[in-house]
């Protein structure tokens, strides 16, 4: 088939989709084999319509075309077989086994025998490999994740998974153009030709006289002239009589209804089902009316009768019917917050921001890693951060659990303060909404977790229906839901045909309603009832759009971007339900969805083209464009504070800038001055739990000196700067009132009373040192790999002392083994003195991979059985890491300094990476940067492209003078996946992985002079824990690498070792959810869990921070790093 014929098929597919010929669309997709509709495939698979699934697949591939296709068909038929067994339909299971699965026996006879054996079991879950099979719905969801990967990897589906980008109704447009061309060729063109068929070429019949050539209009259906609507108050309508006076102000919604899309079925519904009291009458409507084209000479599919309606819309778009009195005597550019006051580093991509409604310098920030942070921008202070975690996994649905197991990444879509400032709502990219209760200072507490939607929760807002504070959410499941603060669902709005992108609750007098927009460009409006949508309207661009009211609630705006990259900013005329004003000044093509905000009832701001663009609401031309000193992303996100004197905007390097006008600068200085004055005269205050007080923190202190006991000192090696030149630190808010008189001094913990320590039972074995240590991903277990190749697992169980069953030092866990008594023992060669034990755990804790000088073994975590072995030495494996996006891909560092990229599914080494001189000691992945960083015993770091596995750069870590470049080097990414922690016996170092540059370094000194053995980040990446060869443990601030706490070995060892050798940590791991809990594996084989006592609550004293996370960063030059 020619390329033009192929494109014609796509045009027909678009036409059929627009006309809602659903079955015909999918039949054409399957028969042509040009476009594989993944969404349709998923729907059928989730419904268990296996015959349709296979029929659809057959249009694109056959069972034996390649190994990917074979695996796809096998997974589908296996699922069908297991479902038949699960419902005890043996006859159907045998039929599937013989007719569908038999074909695979020629490729893997053992597998076919094992599948056949399932028929003999009362419950196929007795089979070890199927022991975790859940219910049918979750099993289908898990299968679909695997199928999508296989389809995307299958070369037969290449270029068939993405539909071409077409303008709406492209086939209709081509027909219009053809008819215009035919009309121009008429010998006697008539001004209003009557086109009755497409089956023949158009030709005007001879007229009585010559007429001028005019565009053709093609009638499809007739539309009667719109009825005139009376005010709501005149009829009473669905609102009670008491609301009649207020109802007159609901004409805005009435206007939207009067011009609603004629395709909406509610147009012809009974009057009682509508919020508008209309006169009864017949309305004949187009099935799919099209927006009239403004191109000269273009035809549109509409009748002349339809012109009356379109004329009304066009008039509303071009004429300012309402004049708004100025809110300010004289506006000037100086009123705009356009000068950069400070730049703050968040550490991960900022996705959403919102200022507190009354504390105008208190900012909530949501990030791409799921973290939520509160900033006091007046002090450049990060007050508190909450990393993402599921609060109640046991209460979550199985599809969500399956989704989070397969892909644990989570991003914030929206963060929003409640109107009273006591709650923060957070919407995430998978299912969940979190509500935090804010009670002042750094007190941000978990309030409510809601599994709100299936798929992403795209927006969240607060509203007050019936004077009750509620949360409004929308999501990928095409629904809008309203929740009370106890998590009860009050309303459920259904009617969108595409994922809902945004919601805008509002109130006009006593009339409360919600506007919603979907990714198909549809705008709908809902009252808090069960009648349905009051509006069906098309947003400009017909894609992703956000709606906002001005601060006074009188003017409505929307901003969005089309799929083609065209951005739109418009004001709506609520009384007409039409566009009142369209603002100009956008670049032709945008690389993302434009974001906007309003302020002072006078200004609009949009982030676009790496700039901030401002408009006067009453003028369609751009008022001002600024770059904010550069560094903005292509489509920056932005937010005004409620006073309009501050504006925050995201930066391209995972931070944000605070812009201010003159009033804003004074406001920021006032906060800083209050901090200074309070540090000189401590103030006792109490923070109300029901309402916020003007000051953000009840206790403020000034820091006049630098703690000399353990500085993150710059050295001559780094920059040649005298350390004492940095002796003045910035002022900082303390965490609570009791700390206001403390100096920044090192916390020394030598007494066990200040800690809780739990020793793992059956762990002490001096002949079996702990080489590697991991917490399980569930947070309820610890896994240790000894130098003899044996792995041990400890698990915490739910009890009265430990109701959530999580790891804690308050309860001693169980040394867990299966009933069989098996040990997880690795293949260990006879001469294993030089063996380097290594271990990696799958995301769902189902299996663990490890090695100790011999082959790599894959163990089942439930049975401890070896599932498979691979990578026989030489070379022996020295470090293992799962690919973060595919558990079937494993990076294996080896003793010969190479890294093997191994595919478990096909048992094949895909790439072999060379760049180190000695054995590999560390591997870390950054999905955001698409890199893998490797470290070796040669003290080198190598940066690899995750897509091509090409080496981007290599460098030797900065070592003390005279120190040879040797020694094991460990690497771990910060939660922002940009900063990299590097641990070497001589130092802790922080690297900017995007630039491959060292930005901070700490070397053993003063109270911690011994070499470093191990280190790890806390889960929120605010702390670094490190072990030393003298038995000490250091707790460092993750941003400044300043020592905040030293834990002596006397805390975790009841008595000194009887031998002359010091017992010290060889391995260290931090709990994945609890920021102040960590575990150490010692040289005597024992494993300890350590956390601060209840009285302490946390480790040491908070370290002062300068300008966000920048305090104390030692500037280093990349030229000091030998790079290749």
């Amino acid at each position: 088939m020619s390329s033009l014929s192929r494109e014609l098929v796509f045009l027909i597919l678009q036409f059929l989709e627009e006309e809602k010929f659903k079955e015909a669309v999918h039949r054409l997709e399957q028969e042509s084999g040009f476009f594989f509709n993944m969404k349709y495939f998923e729907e059928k698979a989730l419904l268990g319509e296996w015959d349709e699934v296979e029929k659809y697949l057959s249009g694109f591939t056959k069972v034996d075309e390649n190994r990917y296709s074979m695996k796809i068909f096998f997974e589908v038929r296996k699922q069908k077989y297991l479902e038949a067994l699960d419902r005890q339909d043996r006859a159907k299971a045998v039929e599937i086994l013989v007719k569908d699965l038999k074909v695979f026996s020629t490729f893997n006879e053992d597998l076919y025998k094992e599948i056949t054996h399932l028929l003999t079991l009362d419950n196929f879950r007795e089979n070890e490999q199927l022991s975790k099979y859940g219910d049918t719905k979750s099993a289908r969801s898990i299968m679909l994740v695997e199928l999508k990967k296989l389809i995307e990897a299958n070369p037969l589906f290449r270029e068939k998974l993405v539909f071409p980008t077409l303008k709406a109704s492209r086939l209709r447009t081509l027909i219009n153009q053809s008819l215009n061309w035919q009309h121009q060729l008429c010998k006697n063109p008539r001004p209003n030709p009557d086109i009755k068929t497409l089956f023949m070429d158009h030709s005007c019949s001879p007229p009585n006289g010559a007429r001028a050539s005019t565009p053709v209009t093609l009638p499809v259906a007739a539309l009667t002239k719109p009825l005139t609507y009376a005010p709501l108050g005149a009829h009473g309508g669905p609102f009670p009589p008491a609301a009649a006076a207020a109802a007159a102000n609901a004409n805005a919604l009435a206007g939207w209804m009067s011009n609603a899309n004629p395709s909406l079925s509610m147009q012809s519904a009974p009057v009682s089902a509508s919020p508008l009291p209309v006169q009864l009458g017949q309305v004949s409507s187009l099935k799919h009316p099209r927006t009239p084209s403004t191109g000269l000479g273009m035809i549109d599919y509409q009748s002349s009768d339809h012109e009356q309606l379109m004329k009304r819309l066009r008039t509303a778009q071009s004429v300012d019917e309402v004049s708004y009195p100025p809110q300010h005597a004289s506006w000037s550019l100086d009123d705009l917050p356009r000068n950069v006051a400070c730049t703050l580093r968040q550490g991960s991509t900022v996705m959403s921001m919102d200022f507190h409604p009354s504390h105008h310098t208190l900012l909530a920030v949501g990030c791409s890693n799921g973290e939520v942070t509160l900033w006091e921008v007046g002090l450049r202070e990060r007050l508190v951060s909450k990393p993402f975690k599921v609060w109640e996994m046991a209460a979550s649905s199985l599809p969500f659990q399956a989704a989070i197991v397969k892909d644990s990444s989570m991003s914030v879509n929206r963060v929003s303060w409640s109107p009273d400032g006591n709650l923060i709502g957070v919407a995430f990219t998978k299912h969940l909404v979190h509500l935090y209760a804010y009670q002042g200072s750094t007190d941000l507490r978990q309030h409510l977790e809601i599994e709100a939607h299936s798929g992403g929760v795209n927006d969240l807002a607060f509203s007050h229906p019936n004077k009750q504070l509620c949360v409004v959410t929308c999501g990928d499941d095409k629904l809008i839901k309203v929740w009370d603060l106890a998590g009860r669902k009050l309303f459920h709005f259904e009617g969108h045909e595409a994922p809902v992108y945004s919601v805008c609750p509002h109130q006009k007098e006593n009339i409360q309603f919600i506007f919603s927009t979907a990714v198909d460009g549809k705008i709908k409006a809902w009252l808090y009832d069960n009648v349905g949508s009051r509006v069906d309207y098309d947003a400009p661009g017909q894609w992703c759009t956000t709606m906002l009211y001005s601060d006074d609630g009188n003017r409505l705006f929307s901003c969005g971007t089309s799929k083609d990259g065209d951005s739109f900013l418009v004001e709506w005329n609520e009384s007409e339900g039409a566009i009142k004003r369209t603002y100009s000044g956008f670049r032709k093509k945008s690389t993302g969805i434009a974001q906007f905000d309003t302020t002072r009832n006078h200004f609009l701001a949009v982030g676009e083209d790496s700039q901030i663009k401002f408009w006067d609401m009453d003028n369609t031309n751009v008022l001002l464009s600024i770059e904010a000193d550069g560094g903005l992303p292509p489509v920056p996100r932005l937010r005004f504070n409620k006073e309009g004197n501050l504006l925050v905007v995201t930066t391209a390097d995972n931070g944000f800038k605070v812009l201010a006008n003159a009033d804003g600068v004074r406001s920021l200085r006032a906060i800083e001055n209050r901090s200074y004055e309070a540090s000189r005269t401590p103030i006792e205050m109490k923070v109300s739990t029901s309402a916020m007080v003007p000051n953000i923190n009840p206790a403020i202190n000034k820091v006049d000196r630098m703690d000399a006991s353990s500085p993150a000192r710059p050295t001559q090696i780094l920059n040649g700067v005298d350390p004492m030149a940095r002796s003045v630190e910035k002022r900082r808010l303390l965490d609570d009132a009791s700390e206001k008189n403390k100096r920044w001094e090192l916390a020394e913990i030598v007494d066990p009373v200040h800690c809780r320590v739990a020793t793992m039972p059956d762990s002490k074995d001096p002949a079996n040192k702990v080489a590697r240590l991991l917490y399980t991903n569930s947070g309820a277990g610890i896994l240790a790999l000894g130098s003899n190749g044996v792995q041990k697992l400890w698990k915490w169980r739910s009890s009265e002392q430990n109701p959530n069953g999580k790891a804690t030092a308050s309860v001693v866990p169980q040394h867990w083994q299966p009933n069989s008594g098996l040990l997880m023992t690795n293949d260990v060669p006879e001469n294993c003195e030089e063996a380097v034990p290594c271990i990696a755990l799958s995301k769902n804790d189902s299996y663990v991979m490890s090695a100790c000088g011999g082959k790599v073994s894959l163990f089942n975590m439930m049975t401890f059985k070896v599932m498979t072995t691979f990578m026989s030495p030489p070379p022996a494996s020295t470090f293992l890491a799962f690919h973060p996006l595919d558990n079937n891909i494993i990076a294996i560092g080896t003793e010969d300094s190479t890294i093997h990229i191994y595919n478990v599914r096909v048992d094949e080494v895909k790439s072999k990476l060379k760049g180190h001189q000695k054995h590999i000691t560390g591997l870390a992945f950054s999905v955001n940067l698409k890199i893998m960083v490797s470290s070796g015993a040669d003290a080198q770091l190598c940066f690899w492209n995750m897509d091509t596995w090409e080496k981007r750069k290599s460098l030797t870590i900065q070592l003390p003078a005279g120190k040879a470049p040797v020694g094991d080097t460990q690497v771990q990414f910060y939660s922002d996946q940009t900063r990299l922690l590097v641990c070497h016996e001589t130092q802790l170092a922080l690297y900017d992985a995007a630039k491959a540059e060292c930005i901070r370094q700490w070397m053993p000194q003063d109270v911690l002079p011994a070499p470093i053995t191990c280190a790890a980040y806390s889960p929120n990446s605010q702390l670094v824990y490190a072990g030393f060869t003298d038995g000490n443990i250091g707790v460092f601030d993750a941003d400044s690498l300043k020592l905040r706490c030293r834990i002596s070995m006397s805390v975790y060892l009841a008595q000194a070792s009887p031998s002359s050798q010091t017992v010290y940590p060889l391995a260290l791991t931090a709990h994945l959810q609890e920021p102040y809990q960590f575990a150490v594996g010692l040289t005597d084989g024992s494993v300890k869990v350590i956390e601060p006592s209840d009285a302490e609550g946390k480790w040491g004293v908070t370290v002062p921070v300068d300008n966000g996370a920048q305090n104390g960063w030692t500037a280093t030059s990349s030229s000091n790093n030998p790079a290749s």
Side-chain angles (χ1 to χ4, degrees), residues 128-195:
E128 290 179 6
Q129 296 186 36
L130 297 173
S131 60
K132 291 197 172 184
Y133 185 98
D135 63 304
T136 298
K137 188 176 180 181
S138 62
R140 289 174 182 173
S141 298
I142 293 170
M143 175 202 68
L144 264 176
V145 174
E146 181 68 17
L147 288 183
K148 288 177 69 174
K149 291 180 181 177
L150 290 168
I151 290 169
E152 289 166 359
N154 195 330
L156 295 175
F157 289 82
R158 196 165 295 147
E159 299 180 357
K160 295 182 179 180
L161 298 176
V162 179
F163 197 84
T165 302
L166 303 174
K167 289 189 176 181
S169 306
R170 179 61 182 161
L171 186 59
R172 293 176 181 272
T173 301
L174 292 175
I175 294 172
N176 286 339
Q177 291 171 340
S178 172
L179 290 172
N180 271 302
W181 176 73
Q182 293 174 33
H183 186 57
Q184 289 173 4
L185 296 180
C186 287
K187 294 181 179 179
N188 301 296
R190 302 180 63 180
N192 294 300
D194 189 12
I195 307 296

Side-chain angles (χ1 to χ4, degrees), residues 587-628:
R587 62 176 296 183
K588 289 187 177 179
K589 296 297 176 186
S590 175
T591 57
I593 301 168
Q595 309 288 320
F596 86 119
D597 200 6
T598 75
T599 189
R600 297 190 172 195
N601 304 311
H602 194 84
F603 294 114
L604 301 163
V606 177
E608 197 246 3
D609 196 16
S610 299
Q611 296 179 326
I612 305 170
K613 298 181 178 180
F614 297 95
W615 283 264
D616 183 311
M617 288 181 178
D618 297 321
N619 192 320
T620 59
N621 296 320
V622 173
L623 180 64
L624 177 70
S625 295
I626 61 172
E627 295 183 350

Side-chain angles (χ1 to χ4, degrees), residues 37 195 217 228 239 319 341 389 409 489 513 519 547 550 604 710 714 727 735 755 777 790 798 807 844 881 959 965 1098:
N37 191 324
I195 307 296
T217 55
T228 301
F239 306 107
V319 179
K389 65 178 180 180
S409 64
K489 185 171 66 175
F513 54 92
V519 298
M547 306 185 79
S550 56
L604 301 163
S710 178
S727 62
D735 284 345
C755 291
N777 293 295
V790 177
S798 297
N844 58 4
L959 296 168
K1098 56 188 175 183

